[in-house]
Amino acid sequence: MKTVIVGGVAGGMSAATRLRRLDESAEIVVFERSGYVSFANCGLPYYIGGVIEERDALLLQTPASLGARFGLDVRVGHEVLSIDRAAKTVRVRELASGTESDEAYDNLILSPGASPFVPDLPGISRALTLRNIEDTDAMSDALAAAEASGGPTSAVVLGAGFIGLEVAENLVHRGWDVTVVELADQVLAPLDPEMSALVQARLEANGVRVLLGQSATALGASDLTLTSGETLPATIVVAAIGVRPESQLAKDAGLAVSDRGGIIVDASQRTSDPSVFAVGDAVVKVDAVDDAPTANWLANPANRQGRLVADVIAGRAQAFPPVLNTAIVGVFGLQAAATGWSEKRARAAGRAIRVIHTHPADHAGYYPGAKGMSLKLVVDAATDAILGAQGVGESGVDKRIDVIATAMRGDLTASDLVDLELSYAPQFGSAKDPVNMLGMIAENLRDGLTETIQWHELEAEVARGVQLIDVRTPGEFARGAIPGAINIPVDDLRGRLDEVDADSIVHCQVGLRGYIAARLLAGHGKRARNLDGGYRTWARA
Amino acid sequence: MKTVIVGGVAGGMSAATRLRRLDESAEIVVFERSGYVSFANCGLPYYIGGVIEERDALLLQTPASLGARFGLDVRVGHEVLSIDRAAKTVRVRELASGTESDEAYDNLILSPGASPFVPDLPGISRALTLRNIEDTDAMSDALAAAEASGGPTSAVVLGAGFIGLEVAENLVHRGWDVTVVELADQVLAPLDPEMSALVQARLEANGVRVLLGQSATALGASDLTLTSGETLPATIVVAAIGVRPESQLAKDAGLAVSDRGGIIVDASQRTSDPSVFAVGDAVVKVDAVDDAPTANWLANPANRQGRLVADVIAGRAQAFPPVLNTAIVGVFGLQAAATGWSEKRARAAGRAIRVIHTHPADHAGYYPGAKGMSLKLVVDAATDAILGAQGVGESGVDKRIDVIATAMRGDLTASDLVDLELSYAPQFGSAKDPVNMLGMIAENLRDGLTETIQWHELEAEVARGVQLIDVRTPGEFARGAIPGAINIPVDDLRGRLDEVDADSIVHCQVGLRGYIAARLLAGHGKRARNLDGGYRTWARA
Ligand SMILES: Cc1cc2nc3c(=O)[nH]c(=O)nc-3n(C[C@H](O)[C@H](O)[C@H](O)COP(=O)(O)OP(=O)(O)OC[C@H]3O[C@@H](n4cnc5c(N)ncnc54)[C@H](O)[C@@H]3O)c2cc1C
Ligand SMILES: Cc1cc2nc3c(=O)[nH]c(=O)nc-3n(C[C@H](O)[C@H](O)[C@H](O)COP(=O)(O)OP(=O)(O)OC[C@H]3O[C@@H](n4cnc5c(N)ncnc54)[C@H](O)[C@@H]3O)c2cc1C
Ligand SMILES: CC(C)(COP(=O)(O)OP(=O)(O)OC[C@H]1O[C@@H](n2cnc3c(N)ncnc32)[C@H](O)[C@@H]1OP(=O)(O)O)[C@@H](O)C(=O)NCCC(=O)NCCS
Ligand SMILES: CC(C)(COP(=O)(O)OP(=O)(O)OC[C@H]1O[C@@H](n2cnc3c(N)ncnc32)[C@H](O)[C@@H]1OP(=O)(O)O)[C@@H](O)C(=O)NCCC(=O)NCCS
C-alpha cells in the first residue's frame, strides 16, 4: 500500500510519521513544495524578532532525519501540480530542475495548508507575507537590509489578527516603528471589542500605532496610502489580512470544495473521493457550537487530523470531533485567548445568551505577584451550555481557557463550573478559582437570583431615566464615575434604602459588590440590575 | 429563621455570606473560637517565611466588615461547647470572660475544620503547629526570639505533607537549618514515589535534610530524638504530621461520625439531624473514583460546601459531588500536583490499571525558556476512565492537572484527551499539548498498539533474561545506562533487526523513541515492551 502526501508540515508530516508507526511496510512519499518540512510555522514571527535566535530551532526535522527514523521518502522542492483520480496518480514537478513525473498512490493525503491572502492593490508586489521558511528568510533579509542602510525603519502590518499582531510585536522588538492597519473596528476578531480593547491598549502602550476601520489603497516604494487618504511611511509592508485554503489542486481534481474554498471532508477526513483524504488548514471543519461548516487555521487540529487520517488509512476507525477554535496569542506580555463563540457571533446567530465578565486575579490576592485578568463567558440562555469564553491578562489566562475548553468538550454546563475541583495553593490559584466564580455567576443568572445589564445596554437605560447607583466607595466614585450615577456605597445601602428607586441599575468596579447590592435590594423588594463586569468593563469599551 | 454557624473561616464564612445574599432577613450568627475570621489559612506558611510581608494581608475580612456588608453577627473568641439538639440551642463560652450562654437556632452549620495531629511524645508540648493566626503569631515569635538570641536556628519539621513542606521551605527562606522527618518512605503521600522523588531532590538541593522512614521518639529542650536513635538539634519543632476532623462537638451531640472521626453528611451536607449541617475539613466526603467515604482537607471543597449549604437552607436544592482531591504545592520553585488516585492507591484497591509517565516541556521546545515537567496518568484498564494524574515541574503543571481534573469531571476517557483543543502559541503550550500526548499514549495502550513496562517491573524481567535494548544515541548510552542494556539507536534498528530477540524490552530517555522502536519491531513480528517514562523515570525511582 502506497500513500502519497502533499505538504510536509503540521498535518502532512503528522500523518506520515503516524502511518509509519502503524504500518512498518507502508510505502510513504511526502511532497513538499518549499525547501523545508516539519518546521515550526508558529515560531516564525519570533525568529523575525530575535526571540528565537537560531534559525535551526525552527526546523524540527529534515528529510534525512525523517528518512532515518521513519523510512519516509520526503521530497522537498517538489510541487504536486495535479491529481489524476482515475489513474490514481499525481503529477509532480521538481522545482529546481523543472522535471515533471507521475507518482502513483493507493491513498492520497492532502495537507497543503492555507496561503496568506494578499489584496490586489497597486504596488502590492513588495508586500511581504509569513508562512514558511523562505518567507521568513525574505523578511529577515529585507529588515536587515533596511537596518544596514541606516535609512528609515517603518513597518506597516496589514491585519490585526493573530499573526499580524505577532509580527507587529516582533518588529517592535527589532526596533522598528510599527503601524497596524485593520479594516474591522477592533483588533483580534475572535474576541469581542471590550476584550480586544485591552490588547489594543497594550499594543499602543508599546508604541504600535493601531488604525482601525481602514485599509490600504496603494503601496508606494516606501509608503502606503490608506482609505482615509493618509499616507504612512512604510519601509516594509507585511500582509497578514488572513489566509485562504490552498485548495486549487483539490478543486482542479473535481473534489468537493466549499464556497469559501475549503476542501470538504467527512469525520474520517475523507474527501468526495474515497481514496483521497485532506487535513489541516485546507479543509472545512465542523463548529462545535452549531455543527455548521467552519474554518480553522490552527496547529492542534491540523496535527490531530494528520494523525487521525493515518489511523483511518491503516484501518483504524476514528472520527474528528467538531472544533472549538481554541486559540491564544501573546502580545507584549499579555495573553489573549478564546474558545468557542464570542458574544457578537452568538448574537449574529440570533442565540439567546447570557454574558458574564469578571476581572479576577491569576492567584490569591494575599500572595505577592497576583496579576489581574479579564474573563468573559458566553452561555446559552435556553440550555445553560457554555458557548464560548475569552480571556485577556498577563498570566493564567491560558489555564482558564483550557479548563473551559475541556469543560465544553465534556459537555459541562456553565453552572457545572462551580463544581470543578481545581488545584489551589496561593501562588497558583484561588480557593474559588476564576473558573468556579464564572460558574457561580452563571448559576445565579440561570436561577434568576441576579439580573445583569451589559456595558453596551447601559446608556439607553440611563437615558430612559433608570436610576444608576454606583456602590463603590466615595473615593472610587471621585476618581471616575459613569455619567448620571449617584453614589451609595454597598455598606451603607441598608441604611439608605429610601434613596433607591423600585427599579434601578447598580454597579461597582468589577461586578462583585454590585451583585451583593442587587441581592440586598432584591431582599427589600426592589429590582436592581447589576452592570456586568462593573466600571472596568464599561470604561474600557 | 435563625442560622448559627460554628467556625468562621473557609466553610463557615462562605455559608454565612451566601446565606445573606439569598435571604436578606435571615438571622445569622457566627461563632469563632479563635480571635479571627475569614483568614487565609493557606497563606500562613508564607507569612512565616516573609513571602507575605504584611500580617494584615492574611485577614480577608473582620467581624466589623462582615457586619457592615452582610449584616452578620460574628463573634470571635467564642467557643461552642455543646449542642442541645432537642432544644435546638448551642452552649457558647465567651473565652475572654468565661461567660457561658445558650444560643437558639433553627438551622445549625458546623464548619469546625480539622486540628493538627500532635503525637503523644515526651516533650511534645513545645512542638508548634500551624492552623490559625494565633499559631502563626506564636511560630513567628518563637522564630524571632531564636534569631534575636543569636543562638542556633535549627528546625525539625515532622511530616512531609503539603503543609510540612511549605513550612520547611519558608523556614529555609528565613535562613534556618531545616530537617524534615517523615514516617513514610517518601515525601508527599498523594504522589507516587517516583514522582515525589523529584520533590525530595528539590528540597535537598535547597539544603533541607529529608529523613524518611523515621519518626520522633522524644523532644528535648533543644533537640529531638528519632526512632533510629539519632538526635537532631531542634531549636523549634513543627508538627505537621496530619490533621484530624474537629468533630468532638458533633460526636458529643450524638451526630453520626465515621470511624476516622469525620462527620457523616448527605449530598446536601445534612448530618444525621436534619437541622444540623456540616461542611469542610470536618466532614466525610465521597471519593469520585470509587464512591467510598474519603477525607479531604482542601479549601476549594470547603468553600464550595459552605456556599452549597446556604443554598439548601434557603430552599435551593443542591448536591455536592464526589471529590477528586485535586491539590498542588509549591516547593522551592517546583509545582507538585495531583488529582484523583495515585498508582499505589489504585493497586492497593486491586484495580487493573494502565500507567503512563511522560516528561514534556511546558511550551514548545523551539521557543526559549521551555521548562521540563513530569506527568503521570493512571487509567482504568477495563474502562479507559481516568483514575488520576500527577505532575511535577517548574511551570505549567497546574494547568495540566486542572485540565485533567476537568476532563474527569466531564467523564472524558483517557483516550478522549487526544481530542482536547487546548490553546497553543509557542510560549504557552505545544501543538500537541502534554495532555493530548497523554491521550495518544493512552489510546495506544488501550488498543494494544504498544505494551509498556513500569520502572518497578524492569529489574525482574531483566533478571529473567529478557533482552533490554537502549535505543538512545551512543553518547546518551555512555553517559549512563541501565545495567544489562545493550545499545541499538532507534535510527539504526531497521538495519540491525537480527540482533533483536523475539521478545525484548526497549527504552529511551523519556519513552518516545522507545515507543517508536517498539512499533518498528512490532512491524517486524517482534514483541518489544517499552519502558514507560524511559531512563528518566527509571533513574529517578
Ligand atoms: C506565522 C504563523 C504563525 C502561526 N502561529 C500559530 C499559533 O501560534 N498557534 C496555532 O495553533 N497555529 C498557528 N499557526 C497556524 C498553523 O501553523 C497551521 O494551522 C498549521 O501549520 C496547518 O497545518 P497544515 O498541515 O494544514 O499546513 P502547513 O503546516 O502550512 O503545511 C502545508 C504545506 O504544504 C505545502 N504545499 C501546499 N501545496 C503544495 C503542493 N501542491 N505541492 C507540494 N507541497 C504543497 C506548503 O508548502 C506547506 O509547507 C501559525 C501559522 C503561521 C504561518
Ligand atoms: C497552614 C495551612 C495551609 C493550607 N494550605 C492549603 C492550600 O494551599 N490549598 C488548599 O486547598 N487548602 C489548604 N489548606 C487547607 C484549608 O485551609 C482548609 O481545607 C479549609 O480552611 C477548611 O475549611 P473549614 O471551614 O472546614 O475549616 P477552617 O477554615 O479551619 O475553619 C474552622 C474554624 O472553626 C473554628 N472552630 C472549631 N471548633 C469550634 C468551636 N467549637 N467553636 C467555635 N469555633 C470553632 C476554628 O477555630 C477554625 O477557625 C491549608 C491549611 C493550613 C492550616
Ligand atoms: C515533527 C513532527 C514530524 C512530529 O510528528 P510525530 O512523530 O507525530 O509527533 P511527536 O514527535 O510529537 O510524537 C508523538 C508520538 O509519540 C508518542 N509519544 C510521545 N511521547 C511519548 C512517551 N513519553 N512515551 C510513549 N510514546 C510517546 C505519541 O503517542 C505519538 O505517537 P502516536 O501518534 O503513534 O500515538 C510533526 O509534528 C511536524 O512536522 N511538526 C512541525 C509542524 C507543526 O506542527 N507546525 C505547527 C506548530 S508550530
Ligand atoms: C472572604 C469570604 C468571607 C468571602 O466569601 P464570599 O463572599 O462567598 O466570596 P467572594 O468574595 O469570593 O464572592 C463570591 C460571590 O460573589 C459573586 N461574584 C464574584 N465575582 C462577581 C462578579 N464579577 N460579578 C457578579 N458576582 C460576582 C459570586 O457569584 C459569589 O456569590 P454567590 O456565592 O452568591 O454566587 C470567605 O471566602 C472566607 O472567609 N475566606 C477566607 C478563608 C478561606 O477561604 N480559607 C481557605 C483559603 S486560604
Side-chain angles (χ1 to χ4, degrees):
Chain A
M1 288 285 281
K2 178 168 170 187
T3 298
V4 168
I5 301 176
V6 181
V9 197
M13 208 52 84
S14 293
T17 55
R18 172 70 171 172
L19 188 54
R20 170 60 68 232
R21 289 189 289 266
L22 293 177
D23 183 356
E24 179 65 10
S25 64
E27 195 179 343
I28 306 170
V29 183
V30 182
F31 292 111
E32 167 57 49
R33 185 175 53 201
S34 80
Y36 304 87
V37 288
S38 288
F39 56 85
N41 329 49
C42 318
L44 304 181
Y46 297 95
Y47 175 71
I48 294 292
V51 177
I52 296 174
E53 293 179 16
E54 298 298 330
R55 184 172 175 280
D56 272 0
L58 301 171
L59 306 172
L60 308 186
Q61 295 285 347
T62 62
S65 69
L66 291 160
R69 180 151 307 167
F70 296 104
L72 301 178
D73 179 354
V74 178
R75 307 192 205 158
V76 295
H78 282 69
E79 179 168 13
V80 174
L81 302 175
S82 60
I83 307 168
D84 184 336
R85 296 201 285 126
K88 289 189 138 190
T89 59
V90 291
R91 184 89 187 150
V92 185
R93 178 183 295 151
E94 194 199 337
L95 296 175
S97 65
T99 321
E100 291 188 12
S101 60
D102 289 323
E103 190 82 27
Y105 64 79
D106 296 302
N107 288 297
L108 177 66
I109 303 174
L110 305 177
S111 189
S115 51
F117 173 70
V118 181
D120 185 16
L121 297 175
I124 194 70
S125 63
R126 78 174 181 94
L128 299 165
T129 55
L130 195 58
R131 177 188 185 186
N132 58 25
I133 299 289
E134 285 82 354
D135 295 341
T136 308
D137 289 340
M139 193 179 289
S140 269
D141 291 348
L143 295 168
E147 289 159 1
S149 77
T153 51
S154 296
V156 176
V157 177
L158 302 176
F162 287 64
I163 296 176
L165 296 193
E166 288 181 342
V167 169
E169 170 173 358
N170 279 287
L171 292 174
V172 170
H173 286 166
R174 259 184 104 123
W176 284 58
D177 286 323
V178 181
T179 303
V180 174
V181 176
E182 167 62 49
L183 184 60
D185 54 5
Q186 64 165 88
V187 304
L188 285 183
L191 301 187
D192 287 311
E194 79 286 7
M195 301 297 287
S196 71
L198 287 167
V199 177
Q200 183 178 342
R202 181 60 66 106
L203 286 163
E204 289 169 344
N206 285 275
V208 177
R209 189 169 172 214
V210 179
L211 300 177
L212 300 178
Q214 301 208 42
S215 62
T217 55
L219 282 66
S222 61
D223 59 18
L224 175 147
T225 307
L226 296 174
T227 35
S228 66
E230 188 184 353
T231 293
L232 303 172
T235 320
I236 70 157
V237 176
V238 179
I241 298 174
V243 296
R244 296 285 177 273
E246 184 137 347
S247 55
Q248 196 58 46
L249 189 64
K251 217 181 286 177
D252 291 346
L255 296 171
V257 169
S258 77
D259 295 350
R260 308 179 70 182
I263 305 172
I264 294 173
V265 291
D266 67 14
S268 304
Q269 304 303 134
R270 216 179 281 268
T271 66
S272 51
D273 178 333
S275 302
V276 184
F277 299 81
V279 302
D281 284 0
V283 308
V284 179
K285 297 184 175 90
V286 175
D287 188 284
V289 174
D290 67 356
D291 289 326
T294 191
N296 166 291
W297 327 107
L298 293 161
N300 170 305
N303 274 284
R304 172 68 186 115
Q305 292 190 328
R307 179 175 185 269
L308 185 148
V309 84
D311 280 55
V312 172
I313 288 174
R316 293 167 44 81
Q318 291 269 6
F320 183 75
V323 291
L324 295 169
N325 265 312
T326 310
I328 190 166
V329 65
V331 182
F332 294 106
L334 214 54
Q335 309 177 311
T339 187
W341 281 18
S342 63
E343 175 180 356
K344 62 190 172 196
R345 180 150 177 207
R347 294 204 191 273
R351 288 261 185 156
I353 57 174
R354 293 190 281 261
V355 172
I356 300 167
H357 293 86
T358 60
H359 306 279
D362 62 337
H363 67 240
Y366 63 81
Y367 188 93
K371 296 203 168 109
M373 70 176 95
S374 294
L375 292 178
K376 178 170 184 174
L377 194 72
V378 181
V379 181
D380 188 296
T383 64
D384 201 35
I386 305 167
L387 298 179
Q390 298 163 49
V392 180
E394 309 215 1
S395 157
V397 170
D398 56 335
K399 176 162 81 172
R400 275 62 186 211
I401 293 298
D402 283 0
V403 164
I404 295 171
T406 304
M408 291 177 77
R409 189 51 44 92
D411 280 330
L412 298 180
T413 65
S415 301
D416 287 338
L417 298 177
V418 176
D419 284 323
L420 292 183
E421 231 184 298
L422 304 172
S423 57
Y424 165 57
Q427 61 277 58
F428 307 121
S430 290
K432 298 166 195 158
D433 189 84
V435 177
N436 297 132
M437 212 65 108
L438 290 173
M440 296 185 199
I441 300 169
E443 189 191 59
N444 292 336
L445 286 167
R446 181 196 68 185
D447 295 350
L449 286 177
T450 181
E451 208 183 336
T452 55
I453 175 166
Q454 292 300 315
W455 59 273
H456 51 80
E457 298 165 335
L458 186 67
E459 198 175 328
E461 289 298 284
V462 174
R464 253 193 350 109
V466 180
Q467 186 184 35
L468 177 63
I469 307 173
D470 183 336
V471 302
R472 298 177 302 167
T473 62
E476 290 173 283
F477 184 71
R479 279 193 293 281
I482 300 179
I486 60 166
N487 182 221
I488 308 179
V490 60
D491 292 349
D492 299 348
L493 209 46
R494 282 191 187 83
R496 295 173 63 180
L497 288 171
D498 52 341
E499 299 173 44
V500 180
D501 288 354
D503 186 354
S504 67
I505 295 169
V506 292
H507 87 84
C508 63
Q509 187 66 11
V510 298
L512 169 54
R513 284 170 294 170
Y515 162 66
I516 293 170
R519 287 300 309 155
L520 192 165
L521 293 172
H524 293 279
K526 293 173 191 266
R527 176 195 189 206
R529 282 168 290 168
N530 182 27
L531 177 63
D532 184 57
Y535 184 80
R536 194 168 294 169
T537 295
W538 176 87
R540 173 190 307 156
Chain B
M1 286 284 280
K2 178 168 171 186
T3 298
V4 168
I5 300 176
V6 181
V9 197
M13 207 52 85
S14 294
T17 55
R18 172 71 171 172
L19 189 54
R20 170 60 67 232
R21 288 189 290 266
L22 294 177
D23 184 357
E24 179 64 11
S25 64
E27 194 179 344
I28 307 170
V29 183
V30 182
F31 291 111
E32 167 56 50
R33 183 175 54 201
S34 80
Y36 304 87
V37 289
S38 289
F39 56 86
N41 328 50
C42 318
L44 304 181
Y46 297 95
Y47 175 71
I48 294 293
V51 177
I52 297 174
E53 293 180 14
E54 299 298 330
R55 183 172 176 281
D56 271 359
L58 301 171
L59 305 172
L60 307 186
Q61 295 285 348
T62 62
S65 68
L66 290 160
R69 180 150 308 166
F70 296 103
L72 300 178
D73 179 354
V74 178
R75 307 192 203 157
V76 295
H78 280 68
E79 179 168 13
V80 173
L81 301 175
S82 60
I83 306 167
D84 184 336
R85 290 166 47 212
K88 289 189 136 191
T89 59
V90 291
R91 183 88 188 151
V92 185
R93 177 183 295 149
E94 194 199 338
L95 296 174
S97 65
T99 319
E100 291 187 13
S101 58
D102 290 323
E103 190 81 27
Y105 64 81
D106 296 302
N107 288 297
L108 177 65
I109 303 174
L110 305 177
S111 189
S115 50
F117 173 69
V118 181
D120 185 16
L121 297 175
I124 194 69
S125 64
R126 80 176 181 92
L128 300 166
T129 55
L130 195 58
R131 177 188 184 186
N132 58 25
I133 299 290
E134 285 81 354
D135 295 341
T136 308
D137 289 341
M139 193 178 289
S140 269
D141 291 349
L143 295 168
E147 289 159 2
S149 77
T153 51
S154 296
V156 176
V157 177
L158 301 176
F162 287 64
I163 296 176
L165 296 193
E166 288 181 342
V167 169
E169 170 172 357
N170 278 288
L171 291 174
V172 170
H173 286 167
R174 260 184 104 122
W176 284 59
D177 286 324
V178 181
T179 302
V180 173
V181 176
E182 167 61 50
L183 185 59
D185 55 5
Q186 64 164 88
V187 304
L188 285 184
L191 302 188
D192 287 311
E194 80 286 6
M195 300 298 288
S196 72
L198 287 167
V199 177
Q200 183 179 342
R202 180 61 65 106
L203 286 163
E204 289 168 345
N206 284 275
V208 176
R209 190 170 171 214
V210 179
L211 299 177
L212 301 178
Q214 301 208 41
S215 62
T217 56
L219 281 67
S222 61
D223 60 17
L224 175 147
T225 307
L226 296 174
T227 35
S228 67
E230 188 185 352
T231 293
L232 302 172
T235 319
I236 69 155
V237 176
V238 179
I241 298 174
V243 296
R244 296 284 177 274
E246 183 135 350
S247 55
Q248 195 60 44
L249 189 64
K251 215 181 287 178
D252 291 347
L255 297 172
V257 168
S258 77
D259 296 349
R260 308 180 70 182
I263 304 172
I264 294 172
V265 291
D266 66 14
S268 304
Q269 303 303 134
R270 215 180 281 267
T271 67
S272 51
D273 178 331
S275 303
V276 184
F277 299 82
V279 301
D281 284 359
V283 308
V284 179
K285 298 184 175 88
V286 175
D287 188 284
V289 174
D290 68 356
D291 289 326
T294 190
N296 166 293
W297 327 106
L298 293 161
N300 171 306
N303 274 284
R304 172 68 187 115
Q305 291 191 328
R307 179 176 185 271
L308 184 148
V309 85
D311 279 55
V312 173
I313 289 174
R316 293 167 43 81
Q318 292 269 7
F320 184 75
V323 291
L324 295 168
N325 265 310
T326 310
I328 190 166
V329 65
V331 182
F332 294 107
L334 214 54
Q335 309 178 312
T339 187
W341 281 17
S342 62
E343 176 180 355
K344 62 189 172 199
R345 179 148 177 209
R347 294 206 191 273
R351 288 261 186 154
I353 57 174
R354 293 191 280 261
V355 171
I356 300 167
H357 293 86
T358 60
H359 307 279
D362 62 338
H363 68 240
Y366 64 80
Y367 188 92
K371 297 203 169 110
M373 70 177 94
S374 294
L375 292 178
K376 179 170 183 174
L377 194 73
V378 181
V379 181
D380 189 296
T383 63
D384 201 36
I386 305 167
L387 297 179
Q390 298 163 49
V392 180
E394 309 215 1
S395 157
V397 170
D398 57 336
K399 176 162 80 171
R400 274 63 186 210
I401 293 297
D402 283 359
V403 165
I404 295 171
T406 304
M408 290 177 78
R409 189 51 46 92
D411 280 330
L412 298 180
T413 64
S415 301
D416 287 338
L417 298 177
V418 176
D419 283 323
L420 293 183
E421 231 185 297
L422 304 172
S423 57
Y424 164 58
Q427 60 277 58
F428 307 121
S430 290
K432 298 166 194 157
D433 188 85
V435 177
N436 298 131
M437 212 64 108
L438 289 173
M440 295 185 200
I441 301 169
E443 189 190 58
N444 292 336
L445 286 166
R446 181 196 68 185
D447 296 350
L449 286 177
T450 182
E451 207 183 336
T452 55
I453 174 165
Q454 293 299 314
W455 59 273
H456 52 79
E457 298 166 334
L458 185 66
E459 197 175 331
E461 290 298 284
V462 174
R464 253 192 351 108
V466 179
Q467 186 184 35
L468 177 63
I469 307 174
D470 183 336
V471 302
R472 298 177 302 166
T473 63
E476 290 174 282
F477 184 72
R479 280 194 291 280
I482 301 178
I486 61 165
N487 182 222
I488 308 179
V490 59
D491 293 349
D492 298 349
L493 209 47
R494 282 190 188 83
R496 295 172 63 180
L497 288 171
D498 52 342
E499 298 173 44
V500 179
D501 288 356
D503 185 354
S504 68
I505 295 169
V506 292
H507 86 85
C508 64
Q509 187 68 11
V510 298
L512 169 55
R513 284 171 292 169
Y515 162 66
I516 293 169
R519 288 299 310 155
L520 191 166
L521 293 172
H524 293 279
K526 293 173 191 267
R527 176 195 190 207
R529 282 168 289 168
N530 182 28
L531 177 63
D532 183 58
Y535 184 80
R536 194 167 293 170
T537 296
W538 176 87
R540 172 190 307 158

